[in-house]
Structure formats: C-alpha cells, structure tokens
Amino acid sequence: MLIRIACVLTMLGVGAGAQPGYPRHHITFGAGGASPRAGLRAYFTTRPAVAVSYGYRFLRNFQVETGLDTVFGAAGVRDYYESPLGLVRIRDYQFLLPVGGRVILPLGAERVQIFGGGGIAWLRYAELIRQPIEYLRIECPVCGSRSGWANYALSGVAVFMDRGRHFRTGVNVKMYRGHTEGDPLGAAPAMRTRDQWLQIFGEIGLSF
C-alpha cells in the first residue's frame, strides 16, 4: 500500500512540473530509539521509537515541518484491567508532536543535504489498553496520562538515491527539552517533571 501511495505522489510531483530546481514536499518515515536524559532517566528507560513527518520546503535553504514521534513503553508499564470482556493489557506510550523548521545546506547538485533546525513540541505520555475487538472500543478509567510542552533541536544528513531526487535515506538526531505534569506514570510521580529526550532515527523519505 505504501509503495502505491509513493508511486502516485511521485507521478503527481513530476507531472506538476513546477519544482524550482528542488522538491518542495517531503514525507519521511523514521525508526530508531529514544533515550531519556537528565532527571527523566530516574523514571523512564531507552526504548524503540518511530516517527513520521511532513515538510514543506518554501525556499532553497528553508523548510517548515510537523510530525509525530512515538516511543514504545519507556515508563515500563505492564498492567491489566478487568473489562467487561475480560482482562486487557495496559501499556504506556510517549507521543511527541513537533512543529518547527530546518535550514538545509544542499551539496552535490542537491543529492546530499545537511540540515539543522528546531521548534516546539507538545508531549503526551499515556497508558493505553490493547483493544480486544477491532470494532468495539473499551474505555480505560484506570489509565493515567501526562502532558506538557518542550523545545527541540535537530540535525542530520539525507542522501537522495535516484537522479530525480524523489527517494532518500538519512540519519536524524533530535533533542527535546521541556516538562510534563499529570498522573503518575510508571515511576514518574504525580508532579511536574523536567523532561529531556535524545532520539536517533534512521530515515527513508519521499520527495516531490
């Protein structure tokens, strides 16, 4: 399915014929790890993470973007809830929604890009239950959540794999610094905490 979507978007981008020497739209998928830093290390652990983002390159050297980073089980919650359908598992997830931009240094006829940037992000850590039936949603009255705001900075490199500059791969390093507050979650107390995350992702992307 993703391959079909990529092919359609590529055809649309080529057919538009309005690219000023570089692709304007950038869809990126990333996978790697997220590591809690500073005081957050007392409550959370390093866990796998994935990311998806969309960027619009409005000038040759500038791009605005937004996305969603998801960390799986950093709080170590392994619990169960007695629902009307029986026991269901509770796990924790960390969602980071960044909004910002980047400065791009293109090299080698735009085939290589070195970039750096930053912005703000909304953080939400939540306990969620695994829904046992796809078409029926079970509420979780015992699940806790925390939320807050952060700043982030990023840097990395991307390399286009084709001459048309549609498909690329690369590495992205991102640091979040902010806070959350709310319910206790794993070892995190029911109080405001200073949060830092270091994320390292390998990425693949589509540009058009």
Side-chain angles (χ1 to χ4, degrees):
M1 185 64 180
L2 290 175
I3 295 176
R4 293 181 181 178
I5 294 174
C7 292
V8 171
L9 291 175
T10 300
M11 292 174 63
L12 289 174
V14 173
Q19 296 179 3
Y22 55 87
R24 286 191 177 273
H25 304 277
H26 303 272
I27 300 173
T28 305
F29 304 91
S35 177
R37 317 298 290 179
L40 197 63
R41 297 177 65 177
Y43 311 124
F44 292 168
T45 60
T46 299
R47 294 293 296 165
V50 298
V52 60
S53 67
Y54 167 76
Y56 178 72
R57 191 174 172 187
F58 62 97
L59 291 174
R60 181 180 180 85
N61 298 103
F62 297 95
Q63 176 175 303
V64 293
E65 56 195 21
T66 187
L68 171 64
D69 302 348
T70 303
V71 186
F72 300 94
V77 174
R78 299 290 186 271
D79 207 346
Y80 291 88
Y81 169 63
E82 183 66 53
S83 75
L85 298 179
L87 285 177
V88 291
R89 293 190 300 176
I90 299 176
R91 296 291 184 267
D92 66 283
Y93 301 85
Q94 290 70 46
F95 303 103
L96 303 90
L97 287 79
V99 178
R102 66 178 63 182
V103 177
I104 299 171
L105 175 61
L107 302 172
E110 290 278 349
R111 293 289 296 273
V112 178
Q113 296 179 349
I114 299 174
F115 57 84
I120 62 173
W122 184 61
L123 312 181
R124 179 173 174 80
Y125 313 154
E127 296 175 332
L128 301 175
I129 63 173
R130 181 177 180 180
Q131 301 293 332
I133 301 177
E134 182 177 354
Y135 54 85
L136 176 63
R137 178 173 179 79
I138 299 176
E139 298 297 329
C140 182
V142 300
C143 291
S145 65
R146 304 174 59 81
S147 60
W149 291 92
N151 300 314
Y152 75 92
L154 63 85
S155 63
V157 61
V159 179
F160 284 97
M161 297 178 288
D162 62 315
R163 297 182 62 182
R165 291 171 295 170
H166 298 300
F167 302 98
R168 56 190 158 77
T169 184
V171 176
N172 188 338
V173 179
K174 189 182 297 181
M175 173 67 82
Y176 289 91
R177 289 187 174 91
H179 71 271
T180 58
E181 54 189 333
D183 302 321
L185 192 70
M191 58 182 291
R192 184 186 179 104
T193 57
R194 296 180 61 185
D195 299 10
Q196 294 186 21
W197 291 96
L198 174 63
Q199 296 183 346
I200 302 177
F201 290 126
E203 296 183 330
I204 58 173
L206 170 69
S207 300
F208 58 96

